[in-house]
Coordinates of all heavy atoms in Angstrom, one line a residue:
M1 N -7.1 21.8 -38.6 CA -5.7 22.1 -38.2 C -5.2 20.9 -37.3 O -5.8 20.2 -36.6 CB -5.6 23.4 -37.4 CG -6.0 24.6 -38.3 SD -5.6 26.1 -37.6 CE -4.0 26.4 -37.6
S2 N -3.9 20.8 -37.4 CA -3.2 19.7 -36.6 C -3.0 20.2 -35.2 O -2.9 21.4 -34.9 CB -1.9 19.4 -37.2 OG -1.0 20.4 -37.2
D3 N -3.0 19.3 -34.3 CA -2.8 19.6 -32.9 C -1.3 20.1 -32.7 O -0.4 19.4 -33.2 CB -3.0 18.3 -32.1 CG -3.0 18.5 -30.6 OD1 -3.1 19.7 -30.2 OD2 -2.9 17.6 -29.8
P4 N -1.1 21.1 -32.0 CA 0.3 21.7 -31.8 C 1.2 20.7 -31.1 O 2.4 20.7 -31.3 CB 0.1 22.9 -30.9 CG -1.3 23.3 -31.1 CD -2.0 22.1 -31.4
V5 N 0.7 19.8 -30.3 CA 1.5 18.8 -29.6 C 2.2 17.8 -30.6 O 3.3 17.4 -30.5 CB 0.7 18.0 -28.6 CG1 1.5 16.9 -28.0 CG2 0.2 18.9 -27.5
E6 N 1.4 17.5 -31.7 CA 2.0 16.7 -32.7 C 3.1 17.3 -33.5 O 3.9 16.5 -34.1 CB 0.8 16.2 -33.6 CG -0.2 15.3 -32.9 CD -1.3 15.0 -33.9 OE1 -1.3 15.3 -35.1 OE2 -2.2 14.3 -33.4
T7 N 3.2 18.6 -33.6 CA 4.3 19.2 -34.3 C 5.5 19.4 -33.5 O 6.5 19.7 -34.0 CB 3.8 20.6 -34.8 OG1 3.5 21.4 -33.6 CG2 2.6 20.5 -35.7
L8 N 5.5 19.0 -32.2 CA 6.7 19.1 -31.4 C 7.6 17.9 -31.8 O 7.2 16.8 -32.1 CB 6.3 18.9 -29.9 CG 5.6 20.1 -29.2 CD1 5.2 19.7 -27.8 CD2 6.5 21.3 -29.2
P9 N 8.9 18.1 -31.7 CA 9.9 17.0 -31.8 C 9.6 15.9 -30.7 O 9.0 16.3 -29.6 CB 11.2 17.6 -31.6 CG 11.0 19.0 -31.8 CD 9.6 19.4 -31.5
F10 N 10.0 14.8 -31.0 CA 9.7 13.6 -30.0 C 10.2 13.9 -28.6 O 9.5 13.7 -27.6 CB 10.3 12.3 -30.5 CG 10.2 11.2 -29.6 CD1 8.9 10.6 -29.3 CD2 11.3 10.8 -28.9 CE1 8.8 9.6 -28.4 CE2 11.1 9.7 -28.0 CZ 9.9 9.1 -27.8
Y11 N 11.4 14.5 -28.6 CA 12.0 14.7 -27.2 C 11.4 15.9 -26.5 O 11.7 16.1 -25.3 CB 13.5 14.9 -27.4 CG 13.9 15.9 -28.4 CD1 14.0 17.3 -28.1 CD2 14.2 15.5 -29.7 CE1 14.3 18.2 -29.0 CE2 14.6 16.5 -30.7 CZ 14.6 17.8 -30.3 OH 15.0 18.8 -31.2
L12 N 10.5 16.7 -27.1 CA 9.9 17.7 -26.4 C 8.4 17.4 -25.9 O 7.7 18.3 -25.4 CB 9.9 19.0 -27.2 CG 11.2 19.8 -27.3 CD1 11.1 21.0 -28.1 CD2 11.7 20.2 -25.9
R13 N 8.0 16.2 -26.3 CA 6.6 15.8 -25.9 C 6.7 15.6 -24.3 O 7.7 15.4 -23.8 CB 6.2 14.6 -26.6 CG 6.0 15.0 -28.1 CD 5.4 13.8 -28.9 NE 5.3 14.3 -30.2 CZ 5.2 13.4 -31.2 NH1 5.2 12.1 -31.0 NH2 5.1 13.9 -32.4
R14 N 5.5 15.5 -23.7 CA 5.4 15.5 -22.3 C 6.2 14.4 -21.6 O 7.1 14.6 -20.8 CB 4.0 15.4 -21.9 CG 3.8 15.4 -20.4 CD 2.4 15.3 -20.0 NE 1.7 16.6 -20.3 CZ 0.4 16.7 -20.5 NH1 -0.4 15.7 -20.3 NH2 -0.1 17.9 -20.8
F15 N 6.0 13.1 -21.9 CA 6.6 12.0 -21.3 C 8.2 11.9 -21.6 O 9.0 11.8 -20.7 CB 6.0 10.7 -21.5 CG 6.5 9.6 -20.7 CD1 6.3 9.5 -19.3 CD2 7.3 8.6 -21.3 CE1 6.9 8.5 -18.6 CE2 7.9 7.6 -20.5 CZ 7.7 7.5 -19.2
P16 N 8.6 12.0 -22.8 CA 10.0 11.9 -23.1 C 10.8 13.1 -22.5 O 11.9 12.9 -22.0 CB 10.1 12.0 -24.6 CG 8.8 11.5 -25.1 CD 7.8 11.9 -24.1
F17 N 10.2 14.3 -22.4 CA 10.9 15.4 -21.9 C 11.0 15.2 -20.3 O 12.0 15.5 -19.8 CB 10.1 16.7 -22.1 CG 10.9 17.9 -21.7 CD1 11.9 18.4 -22.5 CD2 10.6 18.5 -20.5 CE1 12.6 19.5 -22.1 CE2 11.3 19.7 -20.2 CZ 12.3 20.2 -20.9
F18 N 10.0 14.6 -19.7 CA 10.1 14.3 -18.3 C 11.2 13.3 -18.0 O 12.0 13.5 -17.1 CB 8.8 13.8 -17.8 CG 8.8 13.5 -16.3 CD1 8.6 14.5 -15.4 CD2 9.0 12.2 -15.8 CE1 8.6 14.2 -14.0 CE2 9.0 11.9 -14.5 CZ 8.8 12.9 -13.6
V19 N 11.3 12.3 -18.8 CA 12.4 11.3 -18.6 C 13.8 11.9 -18.9 O 14.7 11.7 -18.1 CB 12.1 10.1 -19.6 CG1 13.3 9.1 -19.6 CG2 10.9 9.3 -19.2
I20 N 13.9 12.7 -19.9 CA 15.2 13.4 -20.2 C 15.5 14.3 -19.0 O 16.7 14.3 -18.6 CB 15.1 14.1 -21.5 CG1 15.1 13.2 -22.7 CG2 16.4 15.0 -21.7 CD1 14.8 13.9 -24.0
S21 N 14.5 15.0 -18.5 CA 14.8 15.9 -17.4 C 15.2 15.1 -16.1 O 16.1 15.6 -15.4 CB 13.6 16.7 -17.0 OG 13.2 17.6 -18.1
Y22 N 14.6 14.0 -15.9 CA 15.0 13.1 -14.7 C 16.4 12.6 -14.9 O 17.1 12.5 -13.9 CB 13.9 12.1 -14.6 CG 14.2 11.2 -13.4 CD1 13.8 11.7 -12.1 CD2 14.7 9.9 -13.5 CE1 14.0 10.9 -11.0 CE2 14.9 9.1 -12.4 CZ 14.6 9.6 -11.2 OH 14.7 8.9 -10.0
I23 N 16.7 12.1 -16.0 CA 18.0 11.5 -16.2 C 19.2 12.5 -16.4 O 20.2 12.4 -15.8 CB 18.0 10.5 -17.4 CG1 17.0 9.3 -17.0 CG2 19.3 9.9 -17.7 CD1 16.7 8.4 -18.2
V24 N 19.0 13.4 -17.3 CA 20.0 14.4 -17.7 C 19.4 15.8 -17.7 O 19.0 16.3 -18.7 CB 20.7 14.1 -19.1 CG1 21.9 15.0 -19.3 CG2 21.0 12.6 -19.2
A25 N 19.3 16.4 -16.5 CA 18.6 17.7 -16.4 C 19.2 18.8 -17.2 O 18.5 19.6 -17.8 CB 18.5 18.1 -14.9
P26 N 20.6 18.9 -17.3 CA 21.1 20.1 -18.1 C 20.8 19.9 -19.6 O 20.6 20.9 -20.2 CB 22.6 20.0 -17.9 CG 22.8 19.3 -16.5 CD 21.6 18.3 -16.5
L27 N 20.7 18.7 -20.0 CA 20.3 18.5 -21.5 C 18.9 18.9 -21.7 O 18.6 19.6 -22.7 CB 20.5 17.1 -21.8 CG 20.1 16.7 -23.3 CD1 21.0 17.4 -24.3 CD2 20.2 15.2 -23.5
A28 N 18.0 18.6 -20.8 CA 16.6 19.0 -21.0 C 16.5 20.5 -21.0 O 15.8 21.1 -21.7 CB 15.8 18.4 -19.9
F29 N 17.2 21.2 -20.1 CA 17.2 22.6 -20.0 C 17.7 23.3 -21.3 O 17.2 24.2 -21.8 CB 18.0 23.1 -18.8 CG 17.5 24.5 -18.3 CD1 16.4 24.5 -17.5 CD2 18.2 25.6 -18.6 CE1 15.9 25.7 -17.0 CE2 17.8 26.8 -18.1 CZ 16.7 26.9 -17.3
L30 N 18.8 22.7 -21.8 CA 19.4 23.2 -23.1 C 18.4 23.0 -24.2 O 18.3 23.9 -25.1 CB 20.7 22.4 -23.3 CG 21.5 22.8 -24.5 CD1 22.0 24.3 -24.4 CD2 22.7 21.9 -24.7
L31 N 17.8 21.8 -24.4 CA 16.8 21.6 -25.4 C 15.7 22.6 -25.3 O 15.2 23.1 -26.4 CB 16.3 20.1 -25.3 CG 17.2 19.0 -25.7 CD1 16.5 17.7 -25.3 CD2 17.6 19.1 -27.1
L32 N 15.2 22.9 -24.1 CA 14.2 23.9 -24.0 C 14.6 25.2 -24.5 O 13.9 25.9 -25.1 CB 13.8 24.0 -22.5 CG 12.6 24.9 -22.2 CD1 11.3 24.4 -22.8 CD2 12.5 25.0 -20.7
L33 N 15.9 25.6 -24.1 CA 16.3 26.9 -24.6 C 16.5 27.0 -26.1 O 16.3 28.1 -26.7 CB 17.7 27.3 -23.8 CG 17.5 27.5 -22.3 CD1 18.9 27.8 -21.8 CD2 16.6 28.7 -22.1
I34 N 16.9 25.9 -26.7 CA 17.1 25.8 -28.2 C 15.7 26.1 -28.9 O 15.7 26.8 -29.8 CB 17.7 24.5 -28.6 CG1 19.2 24.6 -28.1 CG2 17.7 24.3 -30.1 CD1 19.9 23.2 -28.3
H35 N 14.7 25.4 -28.4 CA 13.4 25.5 -29.0 C 12.5 26.5 -28.3 O 11.3 26.4 -28.5 CB 12.7 24.1 -29.0 CG 13.5 23.1 -29.8 ND1 13.4 23.0 -31.2 CD2 14.3 22.1 -29.5 CE1 14.1 22.1 -31.6 NE2 14.7 21.4 -30.6
W36 N 13.0 27.5 -27.6 CA 12.2 28.4 -26.8 C 11.2 29.1 -27.7 O 10.0 29.2 -27.4 CB 13.1 29.4 -26.2 CG 12.4 30.3 -25.2 CD1 12.0 31.6 -25.5 CD2 12.0 30.0 -23.9 NE1 11.4 32.1 -24.4 CE2 11.4 31.1 -23.4 CE3 12.1 28.9 -23.1 CZ2 10.9 31.2 -22.1 CZ3 11.6 28.9 -21.8 CH2 11.0 30.1 -21.3
K37 N 11.6 29.7 -28.8 CA 10.6 30.5 -29.6 C 9.6 29.7 -30.4 O 8.6 30.2 -30.8 CB 11.5 31.4 -30.6 CG 12.2 32.4 -29.9 CD 12.8 33.4 -30.8 CE 13.6 34.5 -30.0 NZ 13.9 35.6 -30.9
S38 N 9.9 28.5 -30.7 CA 9.0 27.6 -31.5 C 7.9 26.9 -30.6 O 7.0 26.4 -31.1 CB 9.7 26.5 -32.2 OG 10.4 25.6 -31.3
L39 N 8.0 27.1 -29.3 CA 7.0 26.5 -28.4 C 5.9 27.4 -28.0 O 6.1 28.7 -27.9 CB 7.7 26.0 -27.1 CG 8.7 24.9 -27.2 CD1 9.4 24.7 -25.8 CD2 8.1 23.6 -27.7
R40 N 4.7 26.9 -27.8 CA 3.6 27.7 -27.4 C 3.9 28.1 -25.9 O 4.6 27.4 -25.2 CB 2.3 27.0 -27.4 CG 1.9 26.6 -28.8 CD 0.6 25.9 -28.8 NE 0.5 24.9 -27.8 CZ -0.6 24.4 -27.3 NH1 -1.8 24.9 -27.6 NH2 -0.5 23.5 -26.4
P41 N 3.4 29.3 -25.4 CA 3.6 29.7 -24.1 C 3.2 28.7 -23.0 O 3.9 28.5 -22.0 CB 2.8 31.0 -23.9 CG 2.7 31.5 -25.3 CD 2.6 30.3 -26.2
Q42 N 2.1 28.0 -23.2 CA 1.6 27.0 -22.2 C 2.6 25.8 -22.1 O 2.9 25.4 -21.1 CB 0.2 26.5 -22.5 CG -0.9 27.5 -22.5 CD -1.0 28.3 -23.8 OE1 -0.3 28.0 -24.8 NE2 -1.8 29.3 -23.8
T43 N 3.1 25.4 -23.3 CA 4.0 24.3 -23.3 C 5.3 24.7 -22.8 O 6.0 24.0 -22.0 CB 4.2 23.8 -24.8 OG1 2.9 23.5 -25.3 CG2 5.1 22.6 -24.9
R44 N 5.7 25.9 -23.1 CA 7.0 26.4 -22.6 C 7.0 26.6 -21.1 O 8.0 26.2 -20.5 CB 7.2 27.8 -23.3 CG 8.6 28.4 -23.0 CD 8.7 29.8 -23.5 NE 8.1 30.0 -24.8 CZ 7.5 31.1 -25.3 NH1 7.6 32.2 -24.5 NH2 7.0 31.2 -26.4
D45 N 5.9 27.0 -20.5 CA 5.9 27.2 -19.1 C 5.9 25.9 -18.4 O 6.6 25.7 -17.4 CB 4.6 27.9 -18.7 CG 4.6 29.4 -19.1 OD1 5.7 29.9 -19.5 OD2 3.5 30.0 -19.1
A46 N 5.2 24.9 -18.9 CA 5.2 23.6 -18.2 C 6.6 22.9 -18.3 O 7.0 22.4 -17.3 CB 4.2 22.7 -18.9
R47 N 7.2 23.0 -19.5 CA 8.5 22.4 -19.6 C 9.6 23.1 -18.8 O 10.5 22.5 -18.2 CB 9.0 22.4 -21.1 CG 8.1 21.7 -22.1 CD 7.8 20.2 -21.7 NE 7.0 19.5 -22.8 CZ 5.7 19.5 -22.9 NH1 5.0 20.2 -22.1 NH2 5.2 18.8 -23.8
L48 N 9.4 24.4 -18.6 CA 10.4 25.2 -17.9 C 10.3 24.9 -16.4 O 11.3 24.7 -15.7 CB 10.1 26.7 -18.1 CG 11.0 27.7 -17.3 CD1 12.5 27.5 -17.7 CD2 10.6 29.1 -17.4
I49 N 9.1 24.6 -15.9 CA 8.9 24.3 -14.5 C 9.6 22.9 -14.2 O 10.3 22.7 -13.3 CB 7.4 24.2 -14.1 CG1 6.8 25.7 -14.1 CG2 7.2 23.5 -12.8 CD1 5.4 25.7 -14.0
V50 N 9.3 22.0 -15.1 CA 9.9 20.6 -14.9 C 11.4 20.6 -15.0 O 12.1 20.1 -14.1 CB 9.3 19.6 -15.9 CG1 10.0 18.3 -16.0 CG2 7.8 19.4 -15.6
S51 N 11.9 21.3 -16.0 CA 13.4 21.3 -16.2 C 14.1 22.1 -15.1 O 15.2 21.8 -14.7 CB 13.7 21.8 -17.6 OG 13.3 23.2 -17.8
S52 N 13.5 23.2 -14.6 CA 14.1 24.0 -13.6 C 14.2 23.2 -12.3 O 15.2 23.2 -11.6 CB 13.3 25.2 -13.3 OG 13.3 26.1 -14.4
L53 N 13.1 22.5 -11.9 CA 13.1 21.7 -10.7 C 14.2 20.6 -10.8 O 15.0 20.4 -9.9 CB 11.7 21.1 -10.5 CG 11.6 20.2 -9.2 CD1 11.9 21.1 -8.0 CD2 10.2 19.6 -9.1
F54 N 14.2 19.8 -11.9 CA 15.2 18.8 -12.0 C 16.6 19.3 -12.1 O 17.5 18.7 -11.6 CB 14.9 17.9 -13.2 CG 13.8 16.9 -12.8 CD1 12.6 16.9 -13.5 CD2 13.9 16.0 -11.8 CE1 11.6 15.9 -13.2 CE2 13.0 15.0 -11.5 CZ 11.8 15.1 -12.2
L55 N 16.8 20.5 -12.7 CA 18.1 21.1 -12.8 C 18.6 21.5 -11.4 O 19.8 21.3 -11.0 CB 18.2 22.3 -13.8 CG 19.5 22.9 -14.0 CD1 20.4 21.9 -14.7 CD2 19.3 24.2 -14.8
L56 N 17.7 22.1 -10.6 CA 18.1 22.4 -9.2 C 18.5 21.2 -8.4 O 19.4 21.2 -7.7 CB 16.9 23.2 -8.6 CG 16.7 24.6 -9.0 CD1 15.5 25.2 -8.4 CD2 17.9 25.5 -8.6
L57 N 17.7 20.1 -8.6 CA 18.0 18.9 -7.8 C 19.3 18.3 -8.4 O 20.1 17.7 -7.6 CB 16.8 17.9 -7.9 CG 15.5 18.3 -7.3 CD1 14.4 17.3 -7.6 CD2 15.8 18.5 -5.7
F58 N 19.6 18.4 -9.6 CA 20.8 17.9 -10.2 C 22.0 18.7 -9.6 O 23.1 18.1 -9.3 CB 20.7 18.0 -11.7 CG 22.0 17.6 -12.4 CD1 22.2 16.2 -12.7 CD2 22.9 18.5 -12.9 CE1 23.3 15.8 -13.3 CE2 24.0 18.1 -13.5 CZ 24.2 16.7 -13.8
L59 N 21.9 20.0 -9.6 CA 23.0 20.8 -9.0 C 23.3 20.6 -7.6 O 24.4 20.8 -7.1 CB 22.7 22.3 -9.3 CG 22.7 22.7 -10.8 CD1 22.3 24.1 -10.9 CD2 24.0 22.4 -11.4
V60 N 22.3 20.2 -6.8 CA 22.5 20.0 -5.4 C 23.6 18.8 -5.2 O 24.3 18.9 -4.2 CB 21.2 19.6 -4.7 CG1 21.4 19.1 -3.3 CG2 20.3 20.9 -4.6
D61 N 23.6 17.9 -6.0 CA 24.6 16.8 -5.9 C 26.0 17.3 -5.9 O 26.9 16.6 -5.5 CB 24.4 15.7 -7.0 CG 23.2 14.9 -6.7 OD1 22.8 14.8 -5.5 OD2 22.6 14.3 -7.6
F62 N 26.3 18.4 -6.4 CA 27.7 18.9 -6.5 C 28.2 19.6 -5.2 O 29.3 19.9 -5.1 CB 27.9 19.9 -7.7 CG 27.7 19.2 -9.0 CD1 26.6 19.4 -9.8 CD2 28.8 18.3 -9.5 CE1 26.5 18.7 -11.0 CE2 28.6 17.7 -10.6 CZ 27.5 17.9 -11.4
F63 N 27.2 19.8 -4.3 CA 27.7 20.4 -3.0 C 28.2 19.3 -2.1 O 27.8 18.1 -2.2 CB 26.5 21.1 -2.4 CG 26.0 22.3 -3.1 CD1 24.8 22.3 -3.8 CD2 26.8 23.4 -3.1 CE1 24.5 23.4 -4.5 CE2 26.4 24.6 -3.8 CZ 25.3 24.6 -4.5
P64 N 29.0 19.6 -1.1 CA 29.5 18.7 -0.2 C 28.4 18.0 0.7 O 27.4 18.6 0.9 CB 30.5 19.5 0.7 CG 30.6 20.8 0.1 CD 29.5 21.0 -0.9
R65 N 28.7 16.8 1.1 CA 27.7 16.0 1.9 C 27.6 16.7 3.3 O 28.5 17.3 3.8 CB 28.2 14.6 2.0 CG 28.3 13.8 0.8 CD 27.0 13.1 0.5 NE 27.1 12.3 -0.7 CZ 26.2 12.2 -1.6 NH1 25.0 12.7 -1.3 NH2 26.3 11.5 -2.7
G66 N 26.4 16.4 3.8 CA 26.2 16.9 5.2 C 25.2 17.9 5.3 O 24.2 18.0 4.5
W67 N 25.3 18.8 6.3 CA 24.2 19.9 6.6 C 24.1 20.8 5.4 O 22.9 21.1 5.0 CB 24.7 20.6 7.8 CG 23.6 21.6 8.2 CD1 22.5 21.4 9.0 CD2 23.6 23.0 7.8 NE1 21.9 22.5 9.1 CE2 22.5 23.6 8.4 CE3 24.4 23.8 7.0 CZ2 22.1 24.9 8.2 CZ3 24.0 25.1 6.9 CH2 22.9 25.7 7.5
Y68 N 25.1 21.2 4.7 CA 25.1 22.2 3.7 C 24.3 21.6 2.5 O 23.5 22.3 1.9 CB 26.5 22.6 3.2 CG 26.5 23.7 2.2 CD1 26.1 25.0 2.6 CD2 26.9 23.4 0.9 CE1 26.2 26.0 1.7 CE2 26.9 24.5 0.0 CZ 26.5 25.8 0.4 OH 26.5 26.8 -0.5
Q69 N 24.5 20.3 2.2 CA 23.8 19.7 1.1 C 22.3 19.6 1.4 O 21.4 19.8 0.5 CB 24.3 18.3 0.7 CG 23.7 17.7 -0.5 CD 24.2 16.4 -0.9 OE1 24.7 15.7 0.0 NE2 24.1 16.0 -2.1
N70 N 22.0 19.3 2.7 CA 20.5 19.2 3.1 C 19.9 20.6 2.9 O 18.7 20.7 2.5 CB 20.4 18.7 4.4 CG 20.8 17.2 4.6 OD1 20.8 16.5 3.6 ND2 21.2 16.8 5.7
A71 N 20.6 21.6 3.4 CA 20.1 23.0 3.2 C 19.9 23.4 1.8 O 18.8 24.0 1.5 CB 21.0 23.9 3.9
M72 N 20.8 23.0 0.9 CA 20.7 23.3 -0.5 C 19.5 22.5 -1.1 O 18.8 23.1 -2.0 CB 21.9 23.2 -1.3 CG 23.0 24.1 -0.8 SD 22.6 25.8 -0.9 CE 22.2 26.1 -2.6
L73 N 19.3 21.3 -0.7 CA 18.2 20.5 -1.3 C 16.9 21.1 -0.8 O 15.9 21.2 -1.7 CB 18.3 19.1 -0.7 CG 17.2 18.1 -1.2 CD1 17.2 18.0 -2.7 CD2 17.4 16.8 -0.5
A74 N 16.8 21.6 0.4 CA 15.6 22.2 0.9 C 15.4 23.5 0.1 O 14.2 23.8 -0.3 CB 15.6 22.5 2.4
F75 N 16.4 24.2 -0.2 CA 16.3 25.5 -1.0 C 15.8 25.2 -2.4 O 15.0 25.8 -2.9 CB 17.6 26.2 -1.0 CG 17.7 27.4 -1.9 CD1 17.0 28.6 -1.4 CD2 18.3 27.4 -3.1 CE1 17.0 29.7 -2.3 CE2 18.3 28.5 -3.9 CZ 17.7 29.7 -3.5
A76 N 16.4 24.1 -3.0 CA 16.0 23.7 -4.4 C 14.6 23.3 -4.5 O 13.8 23.7 -5.4 CB 16.9 22.6 -4.8
I77 N 14.1 22.6 -3.5 CA 12.7 22.2 -3.5 C 11.8 23.4 -3.3 O 10.8 23.5 -4.0 CB 12.4 21.1 -2.4 CG1 13.2 19.8 -2.8 CG2 11.0 20.9 -2.2 CD1 13.1 18.7 -1.8
T78 N 12.2 24.3 -2.4 CA 11.4 25.5 -2.2 C 11.3 26.3 -3.4 O 10.2 26.8 -3.8 CB 12.0 26.3 -1.0 OG1 12.1 25.5 0.1 CG2 11.2 27.5 -0.8
V79 N 12.4 26.5 -4.1 CA 12.4 27.3 -5.3 C 11.6 26.6 -6.4 O 10.8 27.3 -7.1 CB 13.9 27.6 -5.8 CG1 13.9 28.1 -7.2 CG2 14.6 28.5 -4.8
G80 N 11.7 25.3 -6.5 CA 10.9 24.6 -7.5 C 9.4 24.7 -7.3 O 8.7 24.9 -8.2
L81 N 9.0 24.6 -6.0 CA 7.6 24.8 -5.7 C 7.2 26.2 -5.9 O 6.1 26.5 -6.4 CB 7.3 24.4 -4.2 CG 7.4 22.9 -3.9 CD1 7.3 22.7 -2.4 CD2 6.4 22.1 -4.7
F82 N 8.1 27.2 -5.6 CA 7.7 28.6 -5.9 C 7.5 28.8 -7.3 O 6.5 29.5 -7.7 CB 8.9 29.5 -5.3 CG 8.7 30.9 -5.5 CD1 7.7 31.6 -4.7 CD2 9.4 31.7 -6.4 CE1 7.5 33.0 -4.8 CE2 9.2 33.0 -6.6 CZ 8.3 33.7 -5.8
I83 N 8.4 28.3 -8.2 CA 8.2 28.5 -9.6 C 7.0 27.8 -10.1 O 6.3 28.4 -10.9 CB 9.5 27.9 -10.4 CG1 10.7 28.7 -10.1 CG2 9.3 27.8 -11.8 CD1 12.0 28.1 -10.6
T84 N 6.6 26.7 -9.5 CA 5.4 26.0 -9.9 C 4.2 26.8 -9.6 O 3.3 27.0 -10.4 CB 5.3 24.6 -9.3 OG1 6.5 23.9 -9.6 CG2 4.1 23.9 -9.7
F85 N 4.1 27.3 -8.4 CA 2.9 28.1 -8.0 C 2.9 29.4 -8.7 O 1.8 29.9 -9.0 CB 2.9 28.3 -6.5 CG 2.6 27.0 -5.7 CD1 3.5 26.6 -4.7 CD2 1.5 26.3 -6.0 CE1 3.2 25.4 -4.0 CE2 1.2 25.1 -5.3 CZ 2.1 24.7 -4.3
I86 N 4.0 30.1 -9.0 CA 3.9 31.3 -9.8 C 3.4 31.0 -11.2 O 2.6 31.7 -11.7 CB 5.3 31.9 -9.8 CG1 5.8 32.4 -8.5 CG2 5.4 33.0 -10.9 CD1 4.9 33.6 -7.9
G87 N 3.9 29.9 -11.8 CA 3.4 29.5 -13.1 C 1.9 29.2 -13.1 O 1.2 29.6 -14.0
L88 N 1.5 28.5 -12.1 CA 0.0 28.1 -12.0 C -0.8 29.4 -11.7 O -1.9 29.5 -12.3 CB -0.2 27.1 -10.9 CG 0.3 25.7 -11.2 CD1 0.1 24.8 -10.1 CD2 -0.2 25.1 -12.5
E89 N -0.3 30.3 -10.9 CA -1.1 31.5 -10.6 C -1.2 32.4 -11.8 O -2.2 33.0 -12.1 CB -0.4 32.3 -9.5 CG -1.2 33.5 -9.0 CD -2.5 33.2 -8.4 OE1 -2.7 32.1 -7.8 OE2 -3.5 34.0 -8.6
G90 N -0.1 32.5 -12.6 CA -0.2 33.3 -13.8 C -1.1 32.7 -14.8 O -1.9 33.4 -15.5
K91 N -1.3 31.4 -14.9 CA -2.3 30.8 -15.9 C -3.7 31.0 -15.3 O -4.6 31.3 -16.1 CB -2.0 29.3 -16.0 CG -0.7 29.0 -16.7 CD -0.5 27.5 -16.8 CE 0.8 27.2 -17.5 NZ 1.0 25.8 -17.6
R92 N -3.9 31.0 -14.1 CA -5.2 31.2 -13.5 C -5.6 32.6 -13.7 O -6.8 32.9 -14.0 CB -5.1 30.8 -12.0 CG -6.5 30.7 -11.4 CD -6.5 30.2 -10.0 NE -5.7 29.1 -9.8 CZ -4.9 28.8 -8.7 NH1 -4.8 29.7 -7.8 NH2 -4.2 27.7 -8.7
S93 N -4.8 33.6 -13.5 CA -5.1 35.0 -13.6 C -5.4 35.3 -15.1 O -6.2 36.2 -15.3 CB -4.1 35.9 -13.0 OG -2.9 35.8 -13.7
K94 N -4.7 34.7 -16.0 CA -5.0 35.0 -17.4 C -6.3 34.5 -17.8 O -7.0 35.1 -18.6 CB -3.9 34.3 -18.3 CG -2.6 34.9 -18.2 CD -1.6 34.2 -19.1 CE -0.2 34.7 -18.9 NZ 0.8 33.9 -19.6
H95 N -6.8 33.3 -17.3 CA -8.1 32.8 -17.6 C -9.2 33.6 -17.0 O -10.3 33.7 -17.5 CB -8.2 31.4 -17.2 CG -7.3 30.5 -18.0 ND1 -7.3 30.4 -19.4 CD2 -6.3 29.6 -17.6 CE1 -6.4 29.6 -19.8 NE2 -5.8 29.1 -18.7
E96 N -9.0 34.2 -15.8 CA -10.0 34.9 -15.1 C -10.3 36.3 -15.7 O -11.4 36.8 -15.7 CB -9.6 35.1 -13.6 CG -9.7 33.8 -12.8 CD -9.2 34.0 -11.5 OE1 -8.8 35.1 -11.1 OE2 -9.1 33.0 -10.7
T97 N -9.3 37.0 -16.3 CA -9.6 38.3 -16.9 C -10.1 38.2 -18.3 O -10.1 37.3 -19.0 CB -8.2 39.1 -16.9 OG1 -7.2 38.4 -17.6 CG2 -7.8 39.3 -15.5

């Protein structure tokens, strides 16, 4: 059988998706939502964590400069880390049972 990673479109592979998420976060999130059902759960979770974090950081730029933007940046990083740890904990508990 072929490796499932090879059946992914080029833009959904690990490195290109990371670059797209870094440069244009909303586009990466949209691509993920379009291909949601065709992705394996492990791939979907990893891409969701990356795209969510970069989307939160992208949205922080639309807030006014100053204290409020710093607070929203801290909130975005906290939420991104929370999503990451929840995703990793879910994978760990699935393997243990």
Side-chain angles (χ1 to χ4, degrees):
M1 295 195 67
S2 66
D3 188 19
V5 174
E6 293 178 2
T7 61
L8 289 174
F10 173 73
Y11 51 84
L12 285 178
R13 293 185 183 158
R14 183 178 290 162
F15 185 73
F17 188 79
F18 181 80
V19 171
I20 292 170
S21 296
Y22 183 75
I23 296 173
V24 189
L27 176 63
F29 206 78
L30 183 65
L31 289 173
L32 181 66
L33 290 178
I34 290 171
H35 294 284
W36 187 261
K37 291 189 178 191
S38 65
L39 296 174
R40 294 182 314 154
Q42 296 85 6
T43 306
R44 187 183 323 150
D45 292 345
R47 303 303 187 273
L48 181 63
I49 290 169
V50 169
S51 63
S52 296
L53 180 61
F54 280 119
L55 184 63
L56 286 171
L57 293 174
F58 178 81
L59 292 176
V60 165
D61 285 337
F62 291 108
F63 291 108
R65 298 266 181 216
W67 183 84
Y68 188 69
Q69 187 179 26
N70 292 338
M72 292 310 298
L73 179 61
F75 176 74
I77 291 172
T78 303
V79 169
L81 290 174
F82 181 73
I83 291 171
T84 303
F85 288 126
I86 291 296
L88 293 177
E89 184 65 31
K91 289 180 183 177
R92 192 174 310 142
S93 63
K94 288 178 186 175
H95 294 304
E96 290 174 1
T97 57

